[in-house]
């Protein structure tokens, strides 16, 4: 067993509440299973376990509430299974809808912030570099570690809320400095600058990174000055979906990689992958499962949730035109509110954009049931999960291609001059 402090022993014994005691015991047992020597204080948590997957998750949350559990640190909530009033509804059966609503209320009752977004870092939850936190949701975890430089493992459902209530996490894995050094170099400097700067490239690179690295720590060289937060968000989400990536570095850009040598901890890499156009073409092909068809039945963007900057890019590309296929724009409350205040939501909806808020089309049934349907997306994460979760085949493309295809009602490809 890990060595617990007197305070931790007291909480586990019920000194605060039955709910807090249960949470502390769960965290301590997780530490034992991970061979962690102790628990460490955390500054915040991001909770993925509030998404309804079955009644047991709801009953677990309600038991914590009945036991008087409250989060001890700031805790934001990942997507739920329901959308707010005024947005497109889910197709959950009534009994599952009721249980999903109970689950969401239980997490809010424990003091969690009703953020309901997979991109809490865009909604103001940005822990400082070097801070220990307990975050769930794979894209949030990899962004937190990589782009913010805070420290978290990939905390799974229910352990995340237990850590938030206990205010502690097991001391192992990516909380430890020695486990954050890169051993793999992904060198993209041989690719054209046009490609390295293109939005469509980053989910492709992420998928390659996930497939190549697994859970190994990689440093990417050759993106200096070309990647912004939205591009790194897309890269990390695809990498965390295609592999077990919880942390990557970008030489000259991310907090723990002022240069290549720093990311490697001053040591030689164990291996290096020099990415070629052939690597990119192969990974690009893997992201689409629809074959050679030009069929497009729906378009979905926003996994991770769209930022305001990405909504602005959508508006510029749409340029007042009407869509002939629904374009599902998945985003958070923090983005929808200013859009409503500025009248932009109404204009986009009149053009045919369908806003999905607090959830997304891949984790809860929203898309119409359609045998042989094709979903187009610019998200590497959607491309990975949509076929299994929705039954739709996927066509991957850039945001521009997604918008043009939704306008035309069929697949439209733009010239890829960077190829």
């Amino acid at each position: 067993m890990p060595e617990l402090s007197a305070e931790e022993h007291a909480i586990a014994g019920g000194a605060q509440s039955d709910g807090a005691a249960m949470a502390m015991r769960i965290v301590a047992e997780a530490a034992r299973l991970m061979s962690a020597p102790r628990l460490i204080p955390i500054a915040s948590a991001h909770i993925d376990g509030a998404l309804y997957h079955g009644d047991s998750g709801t009953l677990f949350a309600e038991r914590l509430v009945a036991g008087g559990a409250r989060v001890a640190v700031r805790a934001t909530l990942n997507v739920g299974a329901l959308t707010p009033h005024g947005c497109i509804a889910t197709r959950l059966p009534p009994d599952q809808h009721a249980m999903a609503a109970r689950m969401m209320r239980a997490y809010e009752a424990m003091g969690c912030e009703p953020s309901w977004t997979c991109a809490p870092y865009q909604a103001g939850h940005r822990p400082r570099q070097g801070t220990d936190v307990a975050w769930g949701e794979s894209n949030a975890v990899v962004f937190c570690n990589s782009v913010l430089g805070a420290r978290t493992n990939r905390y799974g459902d229910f352990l995340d809320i237990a850590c938030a209530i206990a205010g502690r996490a097991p001391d192992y894995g990516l909380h430890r400095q020695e486990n954050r050094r890169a051993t793999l170099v992904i060198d993209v400097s041989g690719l054209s600058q046009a490609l390295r700067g293109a939005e469509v490239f980053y989910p492709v690179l992420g998928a390659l990174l996930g497939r190549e690295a697994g859970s190994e720590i990689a440093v990417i060289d050759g993106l200096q000055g070309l990647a912004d937060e939205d591009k790194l968000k897309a890269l990390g989400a695809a990498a965390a979906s295609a592999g077990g990536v919880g942390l990557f570095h970008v030489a000259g850009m991310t907090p723990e990689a002022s240069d290549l040598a720093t990311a490697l901890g001053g040591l030689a890499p164990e291996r290096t992958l020099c990415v070629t156009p052939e690597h990119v073409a192969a990974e690009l092909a893997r992201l689409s499962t629809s074959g050679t068809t030009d069929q497009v039945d729906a378009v979905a963007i926003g996994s991770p949730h769209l930022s305001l900057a990405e909504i602005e890019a959508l508006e510029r590309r749409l340029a007042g035109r009407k869509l002939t296929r629904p374009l599902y724009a998945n985003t958070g409350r923090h983005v929808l509110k200013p859009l409503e205040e500025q009248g932009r939501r109404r204009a986009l909806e009149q053009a045919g954009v369908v806003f999905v808020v607090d959830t997304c089309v891949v984790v809860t049934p929203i898309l119409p049931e359609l045998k042989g349907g094709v979903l187009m997306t610019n998200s590497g994460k959607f491309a990975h999960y949509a076929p299994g979760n929705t039954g739709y085949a996927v066509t991957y493309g850039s945001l521009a291609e997604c918008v043009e295809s939704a306008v035309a009602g069929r697949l439209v490809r733009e010239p890829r001059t960077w190829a």
Side-chain angles (χ1 to χ4, degrees):
M1 282 291 290
E3 183 179 341
L4 300 186
S5 69
E7 181 186 9
E8 291 160 354
H9 270 298
I11 295 172
Q16 289 185 354
S17 68
D18 290 344
M22 184 167 76
M24 185 64 78
R25 291 195 298 267
I26 290 171
V27 176
E29 179 63 12
R32 184 188 68 82
L33 292 172
M34 298 299 177
S35 299
R38 65 188 67 83
L39 306 184
I40 53 175
I42 56 170
S44 73
H46 181 63
I47 311 301
D48 188 40
L51 174 63
Y52 177 78
H53 289 298
D55 291 358
S56 59
T58 300
L59 298 176
F60 172 77
E62 290 180 337
R63 180 173 174 183
L64 287 170
V65 173
R70 297 278 299 180
V71 295
V73 296
R74 182 182 187 183
T76 47
L77 288 167
N78 203 57
V79 295
L82 305 179
T83 59
H85 180 70
C87 288
I88 189 168
T90 68
R91 294 188 291 102
L92 281 174
D95 58 329
Q96 293 182 22
H97 188 284
M99 291 299 281
R102 282 171 54 181
M103 189 176 202
M104 294 171 77
R105 288 196 297 268
Y107 277 90
E108 291 182 1
M110 286 185 275
C112 298
E113 296 177 23
S115 50
W116 302 113
T117 179
C118 57
Y121 42 86
Q122 294 177 167
H125 191 178
R126 298 172 70 92
R128 295 190 306 274
Q129 181 179 348
T131 303
D132 287 298
V133 298
W135 280 31
E137 212 300 308
S138 61
N139 107 80
V141 167
V142 74
F143 190 98
C144 183
N145 276 315
S146 308
V147 182
L148 301 181
R151 300 183 174 199
T152 181
N153 291 308
R154 288 175 56 142
Y155 286 99
D157 291 2
F158 315 137
L159 179 55
D160 50 12
I161 187 62
C163 288
I165 294 165
R168 310 286 198 284
D171 182 15
Y172 80 104
L174 294 176
H175 289 292
R176 292 177 162 261
Q177 179 62 37
E178 64 269 23
N179 296 327
R180 299 177 68 86
R181 181 182 71 84
T183 57
L184 166 65
V185 173
I186 304 289
D187 186 356
V188 299
S189 60
L191 302 174
S192 72
Q193 184 168 324
L195 173 56
R196 287 179 287 142
E199 158 253 335
V200 72
F201 172 62
Y202 286 81
V204 177
L205 177 59
L208 175 62
L209 170 61
R211 198 180 308 279
E212 184 69 25
S215 57
E216 192 175 357
I217 309 299
V219 54
I220 304 169
D221 194 24
L223 295 181
Q224 293 89 333
L226 298 171
D228 58 20
E229 277 202 0
D230 281 324
K231 289 174 179 175
L232 294 179
K233 174 183 76 171
L235 190 163
S241 301
V245 175
L247 165 66
F248 66 88
H249 303 290
V250 179
M253 291 195 65
T254 54
E256 297 169 73
S258 55
D259 53 33
L260 189 63
T262 300
L264 291 164
L267 303 175
E270 294 180 7
R271 58 194 181 103
T272 297
L273 172 66
C274 294
V275 180
T276 65
E278 290 74 24
H279 285 121
V280 175
E283 209 60 51
L284 189 62
R286 287 192 188 99
L287 286 172
S288 295
T289 63
S290 60
T292 58
T293 182
D294 67 354
Q295 175 184 343
V296 173
D297 298 295
V299 175
I301 60 176
S303 182
H305 274 170
L306 294 169
S307 66
L308 273 171
E310 289 172 313
I311 294 285
E312 289 164 1
L314 168 62
E315 289 171 319
R316 288 194 300 272
R317 191 71 202 193
L318 191 54
R321 293 175 294 169
K322 300 286 187 181
L323 304 174
T324 63
R325 293 290 186 272
L327 188 153
Y328 296 89
N330 301 264
T331 191
R333 298 179 179 191
H334 60 286
V335 168
L336 191 66
K337 184 178 179 181
L339 293 178
E340 289 177 335
E341 292 170 346
Q342 299 161 16
R344 295 159 65 190
R345 174 185 178 179
R346 180 177 176 82
L348 285 166
E349 288 178 333
Q350 288 176 337
V353 173
V354 180
F355 280 101
V356 180
V357 180
D358 288 1
T359 187
C360 82
V361 298
V362 164
V363 299
T364 198
I366 288 176
L367 296 174
E369 293 184 283
L370 183 63
K371 186 176 181 180
V374 176
L375 179 71
M376 188 170 187
T377 186
N378 70 337
S379 162
K381 187 168 185 177
F382 270 166
H384 183 79
Y385 288 116
N389 287 12
T390 70
Y392 281 64
V394 166
T395 294
Y396 174 78
S398 67
L399 176 64
E401 290 171 335
C402 284
V403 172
E404 296 305 319
S405 298
V407 170
R410 57 174 175 77
L411 178 62
V412 175
R413 291 293 192 199
E414 294 200 321
R416 290 178 174 167
T417 55
W418 42 260

